[in-house]
Amino acid sequence: MIVSNDLSRLAPAEKAALIYAQAQSDVSARLWRAALGTDDSFDRDASASAQCPEFNIDSLLALLMAKSDDTPDAPAAPVVTPPVSAPATATAARPAVAASPPTSTAITGLGPNAQYRTALDAAAARTGIPVAALAAIVDAEAGKTCDGAWKTNSRNPRSSAAGLGQFLGGTWQGEAERPGTWLHGVASQQGWLGDDGRVLPAARSALLALRYDATASINATADYARRSVAQLEKAGIAIGNDVVTVARAAYLGHHLGTGDAIRFLKGGLNPGRAKVLLDAQIGSANANQRISQTGDAAAAHRSWLLGFIDRHITPERFAV
């Protein structure tokens, strides 16, 4: 999500690309809701801070037309490297979606997050998740400063979710214990796993601290996305080749967990579960307000989540 009030660092071609991506995203959002059988009257929440408003088509057009010296002079950010040697894991190929080539030109539109380009490219190439889809998922999950920079130390005050990927402690540990993941390789190298393959109690703090490392979080997000897509397809949910659809399906798995994502897509969550999830995401007061407006917790949660996805899972913004 572009949230900066000063996009002067972008070249004219990049500004034009943002406008095109926003328009394309609007069309994709309508198709996404139509495919899920929802109408176009979803409730748009005001989750963005008033101090960091999200740009829309009008503001982007104004930015493009405004006079500026167009002299981007921000220094290149250093490349983030993992705190330990990252393991080489075999890519589980997904023929329907080709992996983006691991080059610095595979993705654009990162703005202040360009320092993570190398990690995004490598994780996407390793897992087969399109790099623009991976960037969109991270962008939706990560906390941000007012210039749109991802906050590696972000933490959800209502849960244990932390880091760029906002992984819960239990999910992060599960990914470390799951063979074939980047985290599993790190945990194995560091001696954090017992003979039974479980994380040793004494190593749990060190493992959870890795959530605040950008490279670790990006790789774990890619591994979890690959797993989510595979499990959704195994459940009979057709995802296809479209990068936007892949990104949104993977995000549903990341956000809800694959079990709830399958239920969400196949028939909807039950009201009790929907209320728990909505409370965790926006707080009980806001959740109750939405439920009173719709008359049903499942409908309120569905409206909020699809609205969030429409606005934030937009890989078009990061595709070349």
Side-chain angles (χ1 to χ4, degrees), residues 61-197:
L61 280 171
L63 176 67
L64 183 63
M65 298 302 295
K67 282 191 173 184
S68 69
D69 57 10
D70 286 318
T71 54
D73 56 2
V79 174
V80 173
T81 56
V84 291
S85 298
T89 56
T91 298
R94 182 177 183 273
V97 180
S100 299
T103 68
S104 61
T105 59
I107 189 172
T108 188
L110 288 169
N113 300 304
Q115 62 179 308
Y116 306 120
R117 179 180 284 116
T118 298
L120 289 164
D121 284 341
R126 179 177 60 81
T127 60
I129 295 297
V131 66
L134 178 57
I137 295 170
V138 174
D139 191 64
E141 286 294 295
K144 301 178 186 67
T145 62
C146 281
D147 68 348
W150 299 338
K151 296 168 65 176
T152 58
N153 63 346
S154 56
R155 180 76 183 254
N156 188 329
R158 290 183 289 271
S159 73
S160 64
L164 293 187
Q166 287 294 288
F167 278 91
L168 298 172
T171 305
W172 188 260
Q173 180 171 331
E175 286 298 282
E177 294 170 347
R178 183 162 69 93
T181 67
W182 191 95
L183 274 179
H184 182 81
V186 171
S188 297
Q189 288 180 359
Q190 295 299 302
W192 292 344
L193 301 177
D195 292 338
D196 59 356

Side-chain angles (χ1 to χ4, degrees), residues 22 31 54 60 68 93 116 159 164 169 173 177 187 198 213 232 252 259 265 275 305 307 310:
Q22 180 66 44
L31 292 174
E54 182 176 3
L60 286 170
S68 69
Y116 306 120
S159 73
L164 293 187
Q173 180 171 331
E177 294 170 347
R198 304 294 299 275
D213 176 82
L232 289 173
L252 276 176
L265 290 170
K275 176 67 164 63
L305 181 52
D310 284 347

